[in-house]
Amino acid sequence: MIQRIQTLYLLAAALFGGLMFVLPLASFTTGADTFTLTALGLRDAAGETVQPVIYLTVLLAAAVALPLVTVFLYKRRFVQLRFCVAELVLLLGVGVLTGVYCYLCHRFFAGCYELYLSTVKVTVVFPLAALVCDFLALRGVVRDEKLVRSLDRIR
């Protein structure tokens, strides 16, 4: 199970998603207030959630859980292949929602407050990195399936 390269890629994809829960996505400074956008919601300087981002949280939780489940399906390659494709779709959704929430928060703070500083963090790139890792895992599963089929043909 762990000796297969796609297992490492799937664990890396889950790690990138898990880091998105911990690290901030963007920060906005208005006057005396500082707001931070995380995967769990928009938080003020005290750490209290001002506005939850439920769709992003649910998609990200599914995108973190699915590769961890997929790792243990190493004997069922077709199911593993389908889960990898589903993970690609989830990660595309996470990437789009991350961009949408960053854009909407920037527009909100620029329209309602005097926005002094708007910073997008490196965490915004994590869905893309997880997408690449998941695509490489998908290629590994396909390669294993081709190997098994060629060995069946030889017998």
Side-chain angles (χ1 to χ4, degrees):
M1 171 172 70
I2 197 71
Q3 69 266 17
R4 297 173 62 202
I5 191 69
Q6 58 263 31
T7 301
L8 297 176
Y9 288 138
L10 288 169
L11 289 176
L15 178 71
F16 281 124
L19 285 175
M20 281 187 70
F21 275 117
V22 178
L23 301 174
L25 299 172
S27 63
F28 306 97
T29 304
T30 62
D33 294 330
T34 301
F35 295 93
T36 305
L37 178 66
T38 64
L40 300 174
L42 185 65
R43 297 174 184 237
D44 59 2
E48 296 178 15
T49 302
V50 177
Q51 179 67 40
V53 286
I54 295 173
Y55 297 123
L56 180 62
T57 305
V58 169
L59 268 181
L60 189 59
V64 169
L66 196 60
L68 296 176
V69 170
T70 307
V71 166
F72 296 106
L73 295 174
Y74 58 93
K75 290 184 180 179
R76 301 174 64 193
R77 285 176 299 280
F78 284 119
V79 176
Q80 196 175 32
L81 187 73
R82 288 182 182 155
F83 277 15
C84 283
V85 171
E87 172 72 12
L88 284 172
V89 172
L90 282 174
L91 286 171
L92 282 174
V94 167
V96 167
L97 277 179
T98 301
V100 165
Y101 280 126
C102 286
Y103 175 75
L104 289 177
C105 285
H106 177 76
R107 294 288 294 182
F108 172 74
F109 285 116
C112 295
Y113 298 101
E114 187 174 336
L115 184 64
Y116 289 122
L117 184 63
S118 173
T119 307
V120 178
K121 306 292 184 182
V122 73
T123 314
V124 174
V125 181
F126 284 179
L128 179 65
L131 190 76
V132 169
C133 288
D134 193 56
F135 178 73
L136 291 173
L138 181 71
R139 284 184 47 202
V141 172
V142 169
R143 193 177 327 125
D144 278 358
E145 183 59 33
K146 284 182 181 179
L147 179 66
V148 168
R149 283 186 182 182
S150 71
L151 291 176
D152 285 345
R153 190 173 40 229
I154 292 174
R155 280 193 251 170

